[in-house]
Structure formats: structure tokens, C-alpha cells
Amino acid sequence: MTGTIDPSQPTETRTVLVTGATGYIGGRLVPRLLEAGHTVKVLVRTPAKIAGVPWLDEVEVVQSSLDDGGALRAALGGVDVLYYLVHSMAAGADFEPKEKAMAETAAHAAAEAGVSRIVYLGGLHPSNVELSTHMRSREAVGKVFLDSPVDAVVFQAGVVIGSGSASFEMIRHLSDALPLMPAPSWVRNRIEAIAVRDVLYYLVAAASLQGTTNRTFDIGCRQVLSYAGMMKEYAAETGLPHRVVLALPIPAPKLAGMWVALTTPIPLSMSLPLVQSLQHDAVSREHDIDSFIPVPEGGLTPYRRAVALALGKERDGQVETTWANAGADADPLPSDPDWAGHTVFVDERTFHGDVDPAHVWTIIEGIGGRNGWYSLPLAWQVRGWLDKLTGGAGLLRGRRHPGNLASGEVVDWWRVERIDRGKMLRLRAEMRAPGRAWLELSVEPDGAGSRYRQRAIFFPKGLSGRLYWLAVLPFHSLIFPAMSRNITAAAQKLASAEAGSRNAPRSP
């Protein structure tokens, strides 16, 4: 049989190119491909987004866009397998043709470069129904690859359960917050989830398939639940009281998408396509993959086990990637001399503390998420809800790790634009505002102690931007002075706790 893996034979290594390496799946796939012995290239538009990943020195980074066929052909030189893991949650009239055109560019480039296989991850969906825009686009992209001269493996997966996945975060927040939830009728639809570890297992194995394959494979955990059942099973796994989900005879995907955006970290731009993709059953129609790739050792991961694993990763601070880390590109903050000729507003605060700069830095790098922003939590929450109501990120995105940050990661409604560990953290705002905003937090030695510096920087857009800055000035006058004091105070408390721990008598 062509296109199979013989478990008795050693895995043949390949040279692979991964697109979407800044995304949730791509960011986890790269280190697993390296562990399997493959030579890995990654194609990214903004290399700064992967500046902090632990595998950076083990891969070749190619800066380009999938719109540039010539650059993509050059990047694919000597590549055996192309992993196409790009799918935008953007909307608009040109969304579908743009997605299809990018896939066609990639397929042509792969054929001209002599690539042996394209691997794509699409979504489970029934046949002979009207699909949502995003599911229809994923199906079209998969067809582009199957119709190309290059052998293609197109996996079709349903809800992916893993720490930091958008689907898991949606289930988690809805289940945690709502013991009684009126819901549209689609919560009764049949869903087959899959653990992210099993998705990655199949993706890695696809590189080593022998011969030609060129087909789709449905993949899942082989356990079918309703969406309401998934929330109830989550509640049971986490020890929450029984969740009551009332399925109302109203589909209402747009209204449900708005509700999800307000009650979970998922922004409206993502919640709408996620909810729309749940309008139909998402269950495997075949299990042919078993004849090509053996099931993982120990079997596929059941749904509740996948939930437990995801919660354990979050609890232990071992979340590798999150859905939020694949944010839109944006221009970085210009250096100070380049501000000349621009309208710019700055709120700057400094505070001296008799504490080691290292302790201040620990507080700075741990800011946001569960640790909060060290000043008037209610004011931050109100601003977060206002941002959510206007379709922004809000404060619910949290952060991947409670104590460590890397360039490109999210911190609530901010994104790490630059981090000079031990010295400076620059955050770029992704909230809705008439202009571009940054927050810089830095620390330096100051005599026997440290000097903490804080800058809020705003480049207004037109008159509305100027009026916005004037409107928030009263809040800044309350929030920012308290923030500088409280961060230094938290650092002093941390230093005292560490000193107390060192001086505590040891038990015999």
C-alpha cells in the first residue's frame, strides 16, 4: 500500500518548511519535527514574533509572505515537505478568494521547487450542507492542494483541545462562568474533539509517509459528544457543579458569537467564525488514517483526558503556545528621535525604591494576567469591558506563562513588542483606540536601590485621537502614579519574602 508508515522501520528524516510557525499549531509542531530528526525551515513575515522561542537556533528562518511566489519558491529549495498551517480569522468580501489565491501560490511554488508533499490541517465538516465562510474556505484550500501536482495530505480535525487553544478557552470560560446557560440549538450538534497532542502526532507522521497519498483524512478522538456535553464533561473533570445547558430552538450564530466574545477571551473577529463552524455536526466519516499511520502509543486521547492535560499544563505554567499569540502585524514604536514631526502624547513616571533591580524586574515581567496591573483593578476591568463591547481584545486573554514573557506574546490587551530581560519591557496596545499606544516598563540601578520608569506613549489618529487622550487623562492621573508605587512596593515585598525564606531556621 502506498503512503503508509512501517513502525518497524526507522523514520526517514526530511527537510521541511513550516508556514504558520507563529500560530498555535505551528509553534508546537516545529519542536516536535526537530525531535523527530527533521531539518526545519520556518517562513514568517515578522521574525520578531519568534524571537523568544526556545527552538529558534535550531531552525532556518525565512522572512517572507505567502503572497510572494518568487520568495516562496526560493525558500522551498531543497525542501521535501511543506506544512501549510495558515488560516486567517479575518472577514470581508475578499476573504475567500484571498485565502484560495495564497494556497494556489504555495501549491505552484511547491511544484516548481520539487517539493514531495504538502501537509494541510483543515476542519471536520459534513457533506452536502451549506458551510460557514471559514469552513468553506478551509475546504477550498484543501482542494487546491489535492488538485495540485504535489502529493497532499489534508487532515480534517474538529474541536482541538489543548492548553491555550481557542476552542478550549471557549469551553472553559463558558463552563466556569455559567452554571445555567440558555444556548442556541446548535449546542446539541454532534462534535468529535481531538487532543492537540494527537493532532501534532499525525502532522509529524505525515512527513514520513512513503509513496503517494493525496487525500483527506478525518482525525478525532473517536468519542462523539454534543457541544453541551463537552461543557458538562469539562465541569465534571474540574469538579464544578453540574452545568445546565438549555438548548433554545433559535440558531442565532451572530448573537451567540457576540455572547462568546463578551464572556470569554476570544474576540468577536474569532468568536463569530468559531460559532459558525459549530452550526453542523463535526464527526469523522471515516477512520482510514489507521491504515496509513498507526494510532499513538497508548491510543488516542479521550476528551476528558485532553481537558485534564490542558488544565495541568496551565496550572504548571507549561503552555507552549496560545491562540492569541498569532496576532496581526503592526508597526513597532519608532525610536524617540523619529517622533519629530509627529503628534505624540507621553505620560512618564519614575519611582525610586530601596530594592534590588532584579526584584523589580520580576514584578515587571509578571505583570498582567492573574497578577493584574497594580492599580485600581475596577478601572482596568471597566476599560477592558468597553474594549470587548467594541470588538477589541479586552483583558481576558491573560498571558501564556505567569512569570516569563517572550517577544510577540500577549498580555491581556497588550502584545510584547520588545523585551530586554532585566531592563525593559515594551507592550503594544491591541485595544480599540483612535491611535497607536505603547506602555514601557523599565528598571535600572539607582545607588543602593533601583529606579523604576514607566511611559505610556500614544500616537493619536486625527481629532478623535486627540480627544481620546484628553478624555483618559483623568484616569491616567489616578492609575499610573499608583502603578509605579505599587510595582516598587510589590518588589520590596518579594525581596522581604525571599530574605525571610533564606533566614528561616532549617528543621533538623
Side-chain angles (χ1 to χ4, degrees):
M1 179 184 293
T2 61
T4 59
I5 289 179
D6 184 351
S8 66
Q9 298 298 318
T11 300
E12 186 175 347
T13 59
R14 303 280 198 268
T15 297
V16 305
L17 175 70
V18 178
T19 66
T22 60
Y24 179 73
I25 295 293
R28 296 185 180 216
L29 176 63
V30 169
R32 285 158 179 81
L33 289 169
L34 291 168
E35 289 171 8
H38 300 300
T39 300
V40 180
K41 295 182 179 182
V42 297
L43 185 140
V44 294
R45 286 179 307 203
T46 310
K49 284 188 175 182
I50 57 172
V53 297
W55 41 262
L56 182 62
D57 293 339
E58 300 178 64
V59 303
E60 178 183 342
V61 179
V62 180
Q63 182 176 9
S64 184
S65 167
L66 289 171
D67 295 314
D68 188 340
L72 186 53
R73 279 193 300 276
L76 288 168
V79 167
D80 302 304
V81 181
L82 166 63
Y83 282 91
Y84 193 90
L85 300 175
V86 175
H87 178 70
S88 171
M89 284 292 185
D94 64 341
F95 165 71
E96 288 184 87
K98 182 177 180 180
E99 290 268 293
K100 185 178 179 182
M102 287 173 58
E104 289 172 341
T105 298
H108 292 155
E112 292 178 1
V115 171
S116 301
R117 175 170 294 136
I118 299 172
V119 181
Y120 175 64
L121 179 63
L124 276 179
H125 59 274
S127 57
N128 302 319
V129 299
E130 185 178 352
L131 299 174
S132 69
T133 303
H134 287 266
M135 290 303 295
R136 190 169 63 235
S137 178
R138 288 193 173 197
E139 183 184 43
V141 168
K143 190 173 186 305
V144 166
F145 294 138
L146 292 170
D147 291 344
S148 78
V150 181
D151 182 58
V153 174
V154 176
F155 292 115
Q156 298 181 148
V159 173
V160 177
I161 302 299
S163 58
S165 79
S167 297
F168 177 67
E169 289 299 307
M170 186 168 148
I171 293 169
R172 183 171 73 127
H173 279 80
L174 288 173
S175 304
D176 285 348
L178 302 170
L180 173 64
M181 188 178 82
S185 56
W186 51 259
V187 296
R188 295 174 177 164
N189 289 346
R190 299 164 68 241
I191 306 291
E192 183 180 351
I194 185 168
V196 66
R197 58 169 50 193
D198 293 339
V199 173
L200 296 169
Y201 167 80
Y202 284 125
L203 287 171
V204 172
S208 301
L209 285 171
Q210 301 296 318
T212 58
T213 305
N214 209 62
R215 57 161 294 174
T216 63
F217 291 102
D218 291 353
I219 55 174
C221 70
R222 315 287 167 90
Q223 177 187 9
V224 179
L225 298 167
S226 67
Y227 199 82
M230 293 173 70
M231 290 191 286
K232 292 175 182 178
E233 288 290 302
Y234 170 90
E237 179 62 35
T238 56
L240 292 169
H242 178 71
R243 266 35 191 166
V244 178
V245 183
L246 303 176
L248 305 177
I250 305 172
K254 290 186 178 179
L255 182 61
M258 294 174 65
W259 175 246
V260 168
L262 288 174
T263 54
T264 77
I266 313 300
L268 186 61
S269 61
M270 287 186 65
S271 65
L272 279 176
L274 282 174
V275 166
Q276 288 170 349
S277 68
L278 299 172
Q279 302 304 302
H280 305 288
D281 292 345
V283 179
S284 295
R285 290 169 290 181
E286 44 81 10
H287 300 146
D288 295 353
I289 190 64
D290 293 348
S291 299
F292 292 78
I293 300 173
V295 296
E297 185 176 353
L300 293 161
T301 309
Y303 172 73
R304 277 189 59 170
R305 175 60 177 160
V307 169
L309 289 169
L311 292 171
K313 292 287 187 181
E314 292 187 351
R315 182 180 58 250
D316 298 338
Q318 296 179 356
V319 180
E320 294 177 66
T321 60
T322 73
W323 63 269
N325 282 354
D329 293 328
D331 293 331
L333 176 67
S335 60
D336 292 13
D338 293 335
W339 292 1
H342 293 273
T343 299
V344 58
F345 299 116
V346 180
D347 185 304
E348 184 167 345
R349 314 279 172 169
T350 59
F351 196 85
H352 172 82
D354 296 324
V355 60
D356 191 290
H359 291 106
V360 179
W361 176 255
T362 298
I363 302 300
I364 290 174
E365 192 171 1
I367 202 164
R370 295 179 181 177
N371 292 328
W373 294 88
Y374 296 94
S375 64
L376 298 178
L378 180 59
W380 285 89
Q381 291 169 9
V382 168
R383 182 64 181 88
W385 280 112
L386 290 174
D387 193 49
K388 270 285 187 180
L389 288 170
T390 57
L395 284 176
L396 296 178
R397 294 192 302 182
R399 43 181 293 153
R400 180 189 62 84
H401 189 280
N404 297 326
L405 288 175
S407 179
E409 292 187 345
V410 299
V411 182
D412 295 330
W413 67 47
W414 307 92
R415 187 173 297 274
V416 179
E417 183 173 281
R418 178 179 170 185
I419 180 168
D420 297 333
R421 188 154 277 106
K423 297 178 181 179
M424 189 272 286
L425 172 66
R426 179 184 296 154
L427 304 172
R428 184 181 69 247
E430 293 187 342
M431 59 186 169
R432 293 298 180 93
R436 297 186 295 151
W438 292 264
L439 180 64
E440 273 189 359
L441 311 176
S442 60
V443 64
E444 60 185 15
D446 186 18
S450 60
R451 181 172 296 277
Y452 167 80
R453 185 186 185 208
Q454 175 181 296
R455 291 200 304 173
I457 305 160
F458 185 66
F459 281 50
K461 184 178 181 181
L463 178 61
S464 60
R466 291 162 172 78
L467 294 175
Y468 171 82
W469 180 261
L470 291 175
V472 298
L473 273 180
F475 298 99
H476 286 182
S477 65
L478 295 173
I479 291 172
F480 287 145
M483 188 173 169
S484 61
R485 292 194 305 270
N486 292 340
I487 284 177
T488 304
Q492 291 172 329
K493 184 177 180 180
L494 175 65
S496 298
E498 289 187 1
S501 177
R502 287 195 301 268
N503 296 331
R506 299 182 180 179
S507 56

